[in-house]
Amino acid sequence: MLRVSIRIDMNSDLGEGFGAWSMGDDKGVLSSVSSANVACGYHAGDPSIMRETVKLCASKGVAVGVHVSYPDLMGFGRRNMTCSPQEVYDYCLYQIGALNAFCCTQGVELQHVKPHGALYNQAARDKKLADAIAAAARDSGDGLILLGLAGSEFEPAAKAAGVKFAAEAFADRAYLNDGSLMPRSREGAVIHDADLATRRVVQMVTKGTVTAEDGSQIQFRPDSICLHGDTKEAVDMAEAVRRALEEAGVEIRPLRETM
Amino acid sequence: MLRVSIRIDMNSDLGEGFGAWSMGDDKGVLSSVSSANVACGYHAGDPSIMRETVKLCASKGVAVGVHVSYPDLMGFGRRNMTCSPQEVYDYCLYQIGALNAFCCTQGVELQHVKPHGALYNQAARDKKLADAIAAAARDSGDGLILLGLAGSEFEPAAKAAGVKFAAEAFADRAYLNDGSLMPRSREGAVIHDADLATRRVVQMVTKGTVTAEDGSQIQFRPDSICLHGDTKEAVDMAEAVRRALEEAGVEIRPLRETM
Amino acid sequence: MLRVSIRIDMNSDLGEGFGAWSMGDDKGVLSSVSSANVACGYHAGDPSIMRETVKLCASKGVAVGVHVSYPDLMGFGRRNMTCSPQEVYDYCLYQIGALNAFCCTQGVELQHVKPHGALYNQAARDKKLADAIAAAARDSGDGLILLGLAGSEFEPAAKAAGVKFAAEAFADRAYLNDGSLMPRSREGAVIHDADLATRRVVQMVTKGTVTAEDGSQIQFRPDSICLHGDTKEAVDMAEAVRRALEEAGVEIRPLRETM
Amino acid sequence: MLRVSIRIDMNSDLGEGFGAWSMGDDKGVLSSVSSANVACGYHAGDPSIMRETVKLCASKGVAVGVHVSYPDLMGFGRRNMTCSPQEVYDYCLYQIGALNAFCCTQGVELQHVKPHGALYNQAARDKKLADAIAAAARDSGDGLILLGLAGSEFEPAAKAAGVKFAAEAFADRAYLNDGSLMPRSREGAVIHDADLATRRVVQMVTKGTVTAEDGSQIQFRPDSICLHGDTKEAVDMAEAVRRALEEAGVEIRPLRETM
């Protein structure tokens, strides 16, 4: 009897220190994920940290992506800015190129581009910004995958640019019955119970559904699950999710192998 | 009768604006030079300016190089810093990669790396820093030429790294009889007379000699002549030098065609 | 017969260079205005430029104000950012304090605070941001005047904070019949004719009215006229406006003497 | 019988986070010290962190000083830079003013200026830089004390400028028999044994001597003891030193009360 294995990617933000400052437990979360979103100097990540992070990813067999951001170190890239699509394109290309240099010297192939923070949130709703990011991914000429919010402007933008799109889901977030994220301002938007989060991810990946906040079961089949590494609890949740997926027979593999 | 044409490169710093600030007359000097050293965000040059500068160079057939710098926008990269060789390597790789992204999207091949300002001056005398820059040029994997001061630490560093070295001379500077630059602190170190500067360059390129400050004729055969574009006088001098060289039968061609 | 002289302030942005970059003709415009808005490092202006600008103002008898901005050197403070009111308060206090240090050492008393660029535009419409700026002006404890757009959120914010408010008008902008600025996106929003601009300013100051874009005469009595110094034309317009006002018997005096 | 109580200041670096990044255990070390050196945005410390740090100091009765630095966030101010004395003066004034604004709004009086990192090390040996820092302290006009290395250029610079000088000693460093610090490059330069460090501090404060690395007892009477808060061990050492001093009858008081 044929058994087709299910595969899924797990991604996390990495290399988010800067100079003398560190953030999160990169080594901890790297044991669980298959893809890393590496900061490139605009919200975090200086050149030395970028080199070390790429090296760390390579040593763990974790695929490397570019975590492109607005230029806002003081705000960690979390504040909306009214940059023009041209500026966003330019900033993306700059950051992609910079990280690519560290990848090339270490024999690592860049896998994806994922917008960070405010750029992620703004571009998910703004066609022009999403188009600018997709165009930067396309023009970098390395077959980069655009990783972004499921059901957002990223998907049509990637399609229009001829770039592969990977939809990500969040292990620790509640969803509305149209497949969109429940806003953080609402009670219950963030799931703190690791067991519940884990069960939800297993359901998404193995059944292709998620239980929306109104109790309905909706179709939902992400290409990647986003996890965090900034706290002990987050690293534990990432480990729990990976273990549960593997126990359910799911293989955790980077996007380039699953798409 | 066979006539072997002499060829020389002329280089200048470009794209040294930042955000709303501009500097120099890029279009003016681009008519005279064959290679451009493009700022990459560490002493000048934001991503949008980088894209536009590469485009401008491409439209004029001018070769593009990376003008790597210490991270010092406030000091325009002109202040010595005690960065470690590893940091210098990382900063170079970052800036090379960032500019390369803009070159790739425009079908331009990066030609060279030239250190800027204080990094140029420090590394010219410091083997470890010169080695770090040469290693970054080598590891970027694109056959980049290292462009730097004639007779400095750059030459052995490039040789050791297996990278081509291009020695540059300055049209407006006096030389000591060992081929080194007269320090700026000494009277007569900078030549303001455009006619004199022009005659000296023609002599360097066609005879392979320069008149040192003590009047002696020394062997001196640069691969590139450095010119400036930050003032009207500088742009005029660049034009005068180019015209005089062409009248002397010299072809102005980018480094990749002359080395 | 008693003749009561009319007085008005004229203000301009100054010290908007950064490091090796300069911007505008500070000396040129300083001959015309009575108050300067000095950049403090967040959109332009490094400490050395700040010291020199305060010195220049003192030598010309021009009053000094703080031109507070979002932290965005690359965008010259012209891009909207979603900073919290607390962040805006903190950024204002930081910039006020920094400039005040240069004023104190030169015996200059800080006169006013004026938001710059995107912060100006956003706070003019956002009560919370306007309140944050007014609170910073009040808490700095030096009787600072808040200078901002006439008819905006700045006025009630200043009143609530117990801070004096100075309403500014623009010599080169058209007004709607409710006293608000015609949006820049509309044809005719910017007045390029120096004669027309000059006549309009004289009318505002001597009659307390302005001709709105629909031809109606509306009440309009600004405390300060904003002029620019970034181009030759702007400096010429500033001179023309000053001359015309003086010929009409108006005295150009800094805000602290007129309010 | 009259008993004259001995008093000493203990100082530590504080507020060294930036944006989303934190560093050290500020609350932990604040329980032990009497003076804080607060970062002002050039090596660490953004305006919001500055406000919070001043508030925290005020709540604990700890005196506030300005930790002035070169502008080098990426290098945490630890890299030598060849800034001119004028630039150093300007950078100091800028940072002093910025922090002073937060102090004034909270009813806190600035107590001292202490150079940070590379600026500390360079100016301790360079009369012109030390003079520039002392001049900035003097010109700020608030009776600021200059806190720096015992036996360095800071002392004559402060004297020449008419500024009080406070000599600091390090609990965890070995001294040569001329009273200078043993260079970090030498074995034994840093003392990791908290008991030994504690005994040495008690000896310095109560006897006015220190045991140099050659075993000799030299005269050594610091005004302040520098402690660290960046690790658990450092915070523990600070507590141990304070306890031992108090048990020896020494009062821990800020500089302004002891000088």
Side-chain angles (χ1 to χ4, degrees):
Chain A
M1 194 187 98
L2 184 69
R3 183 172 170 285
V4 179
S5 162
I6 300 174
R7 292 172 158 204
I8 189 78
D9 178 59
M10 287 173 63
N11 80 81
S12 186
D13 303 343
L14 250 80
E16 293 194 318
F18 188 77
W21 296 287
S22 60
M23 181 170 287
D25 177 6
D26 280 8
K27 287 185 186 168
V29 78
L30 263 185
S31 305
S32 299
V33 301
S34 43
S35 294
N37 316 307
V38 179
C40 296
Y42 268 46
H43 74 284
D46 64 45
S48 300
I49 291 175
M50 290 164 68
R51 177 180 43 75
E52 288 164 7
T53 304
V54 169
K55 187 178 178 185
L56 188 61
C57 290
S59 74
K60 298 275 189 177
V62 168
V64 173
V66 192
H67 210 190
V68 291
S69 170
Y70 288 131
D72 181 18
L73 279 176
M74 205 186 280
F76 202 67
R78 287 177 178 154
R79 303 188 288 204
N80 287 357
M81 291 180 72
T82 51
C83 295
S84 71
Q86 179 70 63
E87 288 172 328
V88 165
Y89 172 88
D90 294 337
Y91 297 166
C92 287
L93 219 52
Y94 185 94
Q95 294 174 72
I96 292 170
L99 186 64
N100 198 33
F102 292 99
C103 288
C104 288
T105 63
Q106 302 191 37
V108 169
E109 198 179 345
L110 262 188
Q111 175 189 260
H112 69 279
V113 174
K114 176 175 168 175
H116 165 78
L119 179 57
Y120 184 98
N121 294 330
Q122 288 192 277
R125 291 185 303 264
D126 182 324
K127 177 180 166 10
K128 287 183 181 171
L129 296 181
D131 283 344
I133 298 167
R138 175 198 64 210
D139 291 352
S140 68
D142 299 312
L144 290 180
I145 298 165
L146 178 57
L147 173 60
L149 185 67
S152 70
E153 289 290 344
F154 292 126
E155 185 158 6
K159 192 169 181 185
V163 163
K164 281 189 191 169
F165 173 69
E168 73 171 350
F170 296 87
D172 62 347
R173 293 293 297 275
Y175 283 86
L176 304 183
N177 65 15
D178 64 353
S180 66
L181 285 170
M182 184 189 293
R184 279 179 182 275
S185 53
R186 287 183 49 188
E187 180 83 22
V190 177
I191 296 167
H192 297 285
D193 179 340
D195 286 343
L196 175 58
T198 300
R199 283 197 307 274
R200 287 169 61 86
V201 171
V202 172
Q203 178 185 335
M204 286 179 198
V205 176
T206 59
K207 313 269 192 231
T209 61
V210 72
T211 307
E213 45 91 52
D214 64 357
S216 60
Q217 299 293 317
I218 60 170
Q219 296 294 313
F220 195 78
R221 200 174 282 282
D223 300 299
S224 187
I225 308 295
C226 183
L227 288 143
H228 307 295
D230 46 342
T231 60
K232 174 81 173 64
E233 289 68 35
V235 171
D236 289 347
M237 186 186 281
E239 283 174 11
V241 167
R242 183 179 184 116
R243 207 177 316 116
L245 285 170
E246 288 180 338
E247 285 169 4
V250 177
E251 278 187 81
I252 312 302
R253 307 296 306 162
L255 287 172
R256 65 174 154 237
E257 299 181 21
T258 61
M259 298 191 66
Chain B
M1 193 184 99
L2 183 69
R3 182 171 170 286
V4 178
S5 161
I6 300 175
R7 292 172 158 204
I8 189 80
D9 179 57
M10 287 173 64
N11 79 81
S12 187
D13 303 344
L14 250 79
E16 293 194 319
F18 188 78
W21 297 287
S22 60
M23 180 170 289
D25 177 6
D26 280 7
K27 287 185 186 168
V29 79
L30 263 184
S31 305
S32 299
V33 300
S34 43
S35 294
N37 317 307
V38 179
C40 295
Y42 268 45
H43 74 284
D46 65 44
S48 300
I49 290 174
M50 290 164 68
R51 177 180 44 76
E52 288 163 8
T53 304
V54 169
K55 188 178 177 184
L56 189 62
C57 290
S59 74
K60 298 276 188 177
V62 169
V64 174
V66 192
H67 210 191
V68 292
S69 170
Y70 288 131
D72 181 18
L73 279 176
M74 205 186 278
F76 203 68
R78 287 175 178 156
R79 303 189 288 204
N80 288 357
M81 290 179 73
T82 52
C83 295
S84 70
Q86 178 70 64
E87 286 171 329
V88 166
Y89 172 89
D90 294 338
Y91 297 166
C92 287
L93 218 53
Y94 185 94
Q95 294 173 71
I96 293 170
L99 187 65
N100 197 34
F102 292 99
C103 288
C104 287
T105 63
Q106 302 190 37
V108 169
E109 199 180 344
L110 262 188
Q111 175 189 261
H112 68 279
V113 174
K114 176 175 169 177
H116 164 77
L119 179 57
Y120 184 98
N121 294 330
Q122 288 193 276
R125 292 185 303 264
D126 183 324
K127 177 181 164 11
K128 287 184 182 171
L129 296 181
D131 283 344
I133 297 168
R138 175 198 65 209
D139 291 353
S140 70
D142 298 313
L144 291 180
I145 298 164
L146 177 58
L147 173 59
L149 185 66
S152 69
E153 289 289 344
F154 292 126
E155 186 158 5
K159 193 170 181 184
V163 164
K164 282 189 190 170
F165 173 69
E168 72 172 351
F170 295 88
D172 62 348
R173 292 293 297 276
Y175 282 86
L176 304 183
N177 65 14
D178 64 353
S180 67
L181 285 171
M182 184 188 295
R184 279 180 181 275
S185 53
R186 289 184 47 189
E187 181 84 20
V190 177
I191 298 168
H192 297 286
D193 178 340
D195 285 343
L196 175 59
T198 300
R199 284 197 307 275
R200 287 169 61 86
V201 171
V202 172
Q203 178 185 335
M204 287 180 200
V205 176
T206 59
K207 312 271 193 230
T209 60
V210 73
T211 307
E213 46 90 52
D214 63 358
S216 61
Q217 300 292 317
I218 60 169
Q219 296 294 312
F220 196 78
R221 199 174 285 282
D223 300 299
S224 187
I225 309 294
C226 183
L227 289 142
H228 306 295
D230 46 341
T231 61
K232 174 80 173 66
E233 289 68 35
V235 172
D236 289 346
M237 186 185 283
E239 284 174 12
V241 167
R242 182 180 185 116
R243 207 180 314 114
L245 285 171
E246 289 179 338
E247 285 169 3
V250 176
E251 277 187 81
I252 314 302
R253 307 295 307 161
L255 287 173
R256 66 174 153 237
E257 299 181 22
T258 61
M259 298 191 67
Chain C
M1 193 187 99
L2 183 71
R3 184 174 168 283
V4 179
S5 163
I6 300 174
R7 293 172 156 203
I8 189 80
D9 178 59
M10 287 174 63
N11 79 82
S12 187
D13 303 342
L14 249 81
E16 292 194 317
F18 188 78
W21 297 286
S22 60
M23 180 170 289
D25 176 7
D26 280 8
K27 287 185 187 168
V29 78
L30 263 185
S31 306
S32 300
V33 301
S34 42
S35 294
N37 317 306
V38 180
C40 297
Y42 268 46
H43 74 284
D46 64 44
S48 300
I49 290 174
M50 290 164 68
R51 178 180 42 78
E52 289 163 7
T53 304
V54 169
K55 188 179 178 185
L56 189 61
C57 290
S59 73
K60 298 275 189 177
V62 169
V64 174
V66 192
H67 210 191
V68 292
S69 170
Y70 288 133
D72 180 19
L73 279 176
M74 204 186 280
F76 202 68
R78 288 177 178 154
R79 304 187 290 204
N80 288 358
M81 290 180 73
T82 52
C83 295
S84 70
Q86 179 70 63
E87 288 171 329
V88 165
Y89 172 89
D90 294 338
Y91 297 167
C92 287
L93 219 52
Y94 185 94
Q95 295 174 71
I96 292 169
L99 186 64
N100 197 34
F102 293 99
C103 288
C104 288
T105 64
Q106 303 190 35
V108 169
E109 198 179 347
L110 262 188
Q111 175 189 259
H112 68 279
V113 174
K114 176 175 168 177
H116 164 77
L119 179 57
Y120 184 98
N121 294 329
Q122 287 193 278
R125 290 185 304 265
D126 183 324
K127 177 181 166 12
K128 287 183 182 171
L129 297 181
D131 283 343
I133 297 167
R138 175 199 63 210
D139 290 353
S140 68
D142 300 312
L144 291 179
I145 297 164
L146 177 57
L147 173 59
L149 186 66
S152 69
E153 289 289 343
F154 292 125
E155 185 158 6
K159 192 170 181 184
V163 164
K164 282 188 189 170
F165 173 69
E168 73 172 349
F170 296 88
D172 63 348
R173 292 293 297 276
Y175 283 84
L176 303 183
N177 65 15
D178 64 352
S180 67
L181 285 170
M182 184 188 294
R184 280 179 181 275
S185 53
R186 288 183 49 187
E187 182 82 23
V190 177
I191 297 168
H192 298 286
D193 179 340
D195 285 343
L196 175 57
T198 299
R199 284 196 306 274
R200 288 169 60 86
V201 171
V202 172
Q203 178 184 335
M204 285 178 200
V205 176
T206 59
K207 313 269 193 233
T209 61
V210 71
T211 307
E213 46 90 51
D214 64 358
S216 60
Q217 300 292 317
I218 60 170
Q219 296 295 313
F220 195 77
R221 200 174 284 280
D223 300 298
S224 186
I225 309 294
C226 182
L227 288 142
H228 306 295
D230 46 342
T231 62
K232 174 81 172 65
E233 289 69 34
V235 172
D236 289 347
M237 186 185 282
E239 284 175 10
V241 167
R242 182 179 185 116
R243 207 179 314 116
L245 284 170
E246 289 179 339
E247 286 168 4
V250 176
E251 277 188 82
I252 314 300
R253 305 297 306 162
L255 287 172
R256 66 174 153 237
E257 300 181 21
T258 62
M259 299 191 66
Chain D
M1 193 185 100
L2 183 71
R3 184 172 169 284
V4 178
S5 162
I6 301 174
R7 292 171 158 204
I8 189 80
D9 179 57
M10 288 173 62
N11 80 81
S12 185
D13 304 343
L14 249 81
E16 292 194 318
F18 189 78
W21 297 286
S22 59
M23 179 169 289
D25 176 8
D26 280 7
K27 287 185 186 167
V29 78
L30 263 185
S31 305
S32 299
V33 301
S34 43
S35 294
N37 317 305
V38 180
C40 296
Y42 268 45
H43 75 283
D46 65 44
S48 299
I49 290 174
M50 290 164 67
R51 178 181 42 77
E52 289 164 6
T53 304
V54 169
K55 187 178 177 185
L56 189 61
C57 290
S59 74
K60 298 275 189 179
V62 168
V64 174
V66 192
H67 210 191
V68 292
S69 170
Y70 289 131
D72 181 18
L73 279 177
M74 205 186 280
F76 203 68
R78 289 178 178 153
R79 302 187 290 205
N80 288 357
M81 290 179 74
T82 51
C83 294
S84 70
Q86 179 70 65
E87 287 171 329
V88 166
Y89 172 88
D90 294 338
Y91 297 166
C92 287
L93 219 52
Y94 185 93
Q95 294 174 72
I96 292 170
L99 186 65
N100 196 33
F102 292 99
C103 288
C104 288
T105 63
Q106 302 190 37
V108 169
E109 198 180 345
L110 262 187
Q111 176 190 260
H112 68 279
V113 174
K114 176 176 169 177
H116 164 78
L119 179 57
Y120 184 99
N121 295 328
Q122 288 194 277
R125 291 186 302 266
D126 182 324
K127 177 181 166 10
K128 287 183 182 170
L129 297 181
D131 282 344
I133 297 168
R138 175 199 62 208
D139 290 354
S140 68
D142 298 313
L144 291 180
I145 298 164
L146 178 57
L147 173 59
L149 185 66
S152 69
E153 289 288 345
F154 291 126
E155 186 159 5
K159 192 170 181 185
V163 164
K164 282 189 191 170
F165 173 68
E168 72 172 349
F170 295 88
D172 62 347
R173 292 294 296 277
Y175 283 85
L176 303 183
N177 65 16
D178 65 351
S180 67
L181 284 171
M182 183 188 294
R184 279 179 181 276
S185 53
R186 288 183 49 188
E187 182 83 20
V190 177
I191 297 168
H192 297 286
D193 179 339
D195 285 344
L196 174 58
T198 300
R199 283 196 307 273
R200 287 169 61 85
V201 170
V202 172
Q203 179 185 334
M204 288 179 198
V205 176
T206 58
K207 313 268 192 233
T209 60
V210 71
T211 308
E213 45 91 50
D214 63 358
S216 61
Q217 299 293 317
I218 59 170
Q219 295 296 312
F220 196 79
R221 200 175 284 282
D223 300 299
S224 186
I225 309 293
C226 183
L227 289 143
H228 307 295
D230 46 342
T231 61
K232 174 80 172 65
E233 288 69 34
V235 171
D236 289 346
M237 185 185 283
E239 284 174 10
V241 167
R242 183 181 184 114
R243 208 179 314 115
L245 284 170
E246 290 179 337
E247 286 170 3
V250 176
E251 276 188 81
I252 314 300
R253 306 297 306 162
L255 287 173
R256 66 173 152 236
E257 300 181 21
T258 61
M259 298 191 67

